[in-house]
Amino acid sequence: MHITQRQEQFSNAYIRAVAAVVGYTLYKQEVDDDSIDLGIAAKGAIGTIRSPH
C-alpha cells in the first residue's frame, strides 16, 4: 500500500474514533463530486435544527 493510501486510512480511522466519542454518525456519499470523503451528522434535538449535517 502506498504511503498516501495509508495516510488516508489512518485519517478515516481517526475521524471515526472522534465521531464515536461524541456520539455523531458518519456517512459516505455514493458519488464524490466535491471531494468530500466522509460526512458527519448528529441527531438533532427538539427545536429549530433537526439532524444537522
Side-chain angles (χ1 to χ4, degrees):
M1 187 182 299
H2 194 267
I3 184 70
T4 56
Q5 293 171 317
R6 287 183 281 185
Q7 290 170 335
E8 180 181 5
Q9 292 302 313
F10 180 77
S11 65
N12 286 340
Y14 180 79
I15 194 65
R16 287 182 186 280
V18 170
V21 167
V22 295
Y24 290 171
T25 302
L26 295 178
Y27 62 91
K28 185 170 180 121
Q29 297 178 345
E30 291 292 323
V31 179
D32 187 12
D33 288 333
D34 297 322
S35 297
I36 299 172
D37 294 327
L38 294 172
I40 300 173
K43 184 172 183 172
I46 297 173
T48 59
I49 299 176
R50 294 179 185 224
S51 300
H53 289 90

